Amino acid sequence: MKPLRLGVFASGRGSNFAAILAAIDGRRLNASVDVLISNDPAAGALETARARGVRAETVSSAGFDSRDAFVSRLTEVLRESGAGFIALAGYMKRVPPEVVALYPGRIVNIHPALLPAFGGKGMYGRHVHEAVIRQGCKVTGVTVHLVDEQYDRGPILAQRCVPVLPGDTAETLAGRVLETEHSLYPEVLQAFAEGRVRIRGGIAFIE
Ligand code: GRF
């Protein structure tokens, strides 16, 4: 099996990106990260990429005169890198439909809750965990799903539960969920690397 050639998109600190790199180092994930793309020049993920010798690019719609120019730069960076698969790791922007169309069934995202609950607009970062706690949920978790044109809506690839404990704050819960994210994301990517992902009738399965 050929290694999965990844483009990772991240807007923030990039702990999931770091977990992907660690899984590659530890030979739990047969992949290379060929480019890290961020919309935010201050993203910690860019620093991690540079420190690791991974090509790091800031591509922000704010830096272009037109949407078309932004999308063509994004696709150019991806094409030049040779990445054949995209992993969103805390990417706060919507992936342009043109890019989704170029990578059909080959873009995945990780979400810190059990979708379709606690997903969609406004459900990111601490907002997710606050909503879970406010609702009195006893379990939450992690979802890895395929990305299509809608927020948090593509076929679910894998989910893992995380308990909500009495006295949890958004921070303590986020920390527990994040640990699970760091193990689940590389596992799902490895399933793609091994060709174990099937989609039938809009439903995704890992064999
Ligand atoms: C994670 O909780 C991920 O599920 C969500 O954004 C967060 C990114 O965290 N999509 P990090 O930048 O990977 O540390």
Side-chain angles (χ1 to χ4, degrees):
M1 283 277 173
K2 283 196 192 143
L4 203 60
R5 297 196 55 180
L6 293 172
V8 177
F9 286 33
S11 301
R13 70 194 154 189
S15 71
N16 278 287
F17 169 50
I20 290 168
L21 292 174
I24 293 171
D25 290 347
R27 298 180 177 279
R28 286 173 283 120
L29 173 56
N30 182 24
S32 60
V33 180
D34 294 308
V35 67
L36 181 284
I37 296 177
S38 185
N39 58 301
D40 182 352
L46 285 166
E47 253 173 70
T48 305
R50 288 187 200 110
R52 291 289 310 259
V54 172
R55 180 175 174 185
E57 292 279 350
T58 304
V59 187
S60 162
S61 57
F64 295 87
D65 292 338
S66 68
R67 189 186 168 278
D68 280 0
F70 162 65
V71 173
S72 63
R73 177 63 186 150
L74 199 54
T75 49
E76 181 184 52
V77 168
L78 283 166
R79 188 168 14 86
E80 281 172 7
S81 74
F85 195 99
I86 297 173
L88 308 182
Y91 186 60
M92 300 299 289
K93 297 285 176 183
R94 198 167 174 165
V95 179
E98 294 90 336
V99 175
V100 176
L102 282 175
Y103 290 82
R106 302 190 69 75
I107 307 181
V108 293
N109 182 43
I110 187 158
H111 185 77
L114 297 173
L115 291 175
F118 305 106
K121 239 185 156 41
M123 280 294 157
Y124 62 89
R126 60 175 295 123
H127 303 294
V128 175
H129 307 296
E130 280 168 359
V132 165
I133 291 169
R134 208 180 310 122
Q135 195 65 43
C137 294
K138 308 303 178 239
V139 283
T140 182
V142 177
T143 301
V144 180
H145 64 95
L146 283 162
V147 171
D148 55 21
E149 287 76 12
Q150 288 177 302
Y151 284 109
D152 296 341
R153 282 291 189 80
I156 291 170
L157 292 157
Q159 293 185 304
R160 197 157 288 163
C161 291
V162 173
V164 182
L165 301 179
D168 258 339
T169 62
E171 286 71 31
T172 58
L173 185 54
R176 195 175 312 117
V177 169
L178 204 56
E179 273 181 42
T180 298
E181 293 186 40
H182 294 165
S183 56
L184 186 62
Y185 212 6
E187 284 177 33
V188 173
L189 293 171
Q190 178 63 11
F192 277 97
E194 292 176 8
R196 288 190 281 114
V197 178
R198 307 274 174 267
I199 298 171
R200 282 180 228 113
I203 308 283
F205 302 90
I206 293 180
E207 290 179 341

